[in-house]
């Protein structure tokens, strides 16, 4: 169900988590993507939380998914804020500038409630 900003149920936050696998997964290429995430994808209106970073390669338990190189986490106050972000020129510029090194991109969106 799609909600307008005024109708958005209280207590819900849209967690937009993106996992990038890179063609060139060198430390320099991973850092370049993290830096681009910070430059183009942080500070958007309606953002409650932003983080980007490289996979913790030292984490090698059986349950660890190691099929990515860089992760992006942007939490939005509403579905409407996420929709605006998707079409924002900075987001589109990020995709255009960085997509040539993407082997795969997985987007996992979920509704979460942030604990106090």
């Amino acid at each position: 169900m799609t909600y307008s900003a005024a109708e958005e149920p209280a207590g819900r936050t849209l967690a937009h988590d993106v996992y990038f696998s890179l063609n060139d997964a060198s430390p320099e290429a991973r850092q370049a993507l993290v830096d681009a995430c910070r430059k183009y994808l942080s500070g958007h209106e309606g953002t409650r939380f932003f983080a980007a970073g490289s996979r913790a390669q030292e984490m090698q338990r059986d349950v660890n998914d190691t099929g990515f190189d860089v992760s992006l986490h942007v939490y939005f106050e509403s579905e409407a804020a996420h929709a605006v972000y998707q079409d924002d020129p900075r987001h589109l510029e990020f995709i255009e500038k960085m997509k040539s090194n993407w082997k795969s991109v997985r987007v996992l969106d979920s509704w979460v409630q942030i604990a106090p």
Side-chain angles (χ1 to χ4, degrees), residues 6-19:
E7 301 170 322
E8 198 71 41
R12 288 188 352 159
T13 296
L14 181 61
H16 177 66
D17 298 306
V18 184
Y19 296 87

Side-chain angles (χ1 to χ4, degrees), residues 18-20 22 29-35 37-38 50-57 68-73:
V18 184
Y19 296 87
F20 300 91
L22 304 178
R30 290 192 314 262
Q31 189 60 51
L33 181 56
V34 170
D35 292 344
C37 287
R38 288 186 183 128
F50 171 89
S54 293
R55 180 174 60 83
Q57 294 181 1
F68 71 98
D69 301 300
V70 171
S71 64
L72 167 69
H73 311 275

Side-chain angles (χ1 to χ4, degrees), residues 60-97:
Q60 295 291 323
R61 297 176 303 143
D62 291 342
V63 297
N64 286 103
D65 182 342
T66 60
F68 71 98
D69 301 300
V70 171
S71 64
L72 167 69
H73 311 275
V74 187
Y75 287 20
F76 293 97
E77 64 188 21
S78 67
E79 187 176 347
H82 175 260
V84 170
Y85 163 85
Q86 287 298 318
D87 293 328
D88 187 278
R90 288 195 310 135
H91 179 250
L92 299 176
E93 185 176 357
F94 166 79
I95 293 169
E96 191 58 36
K97 286 183 179 279

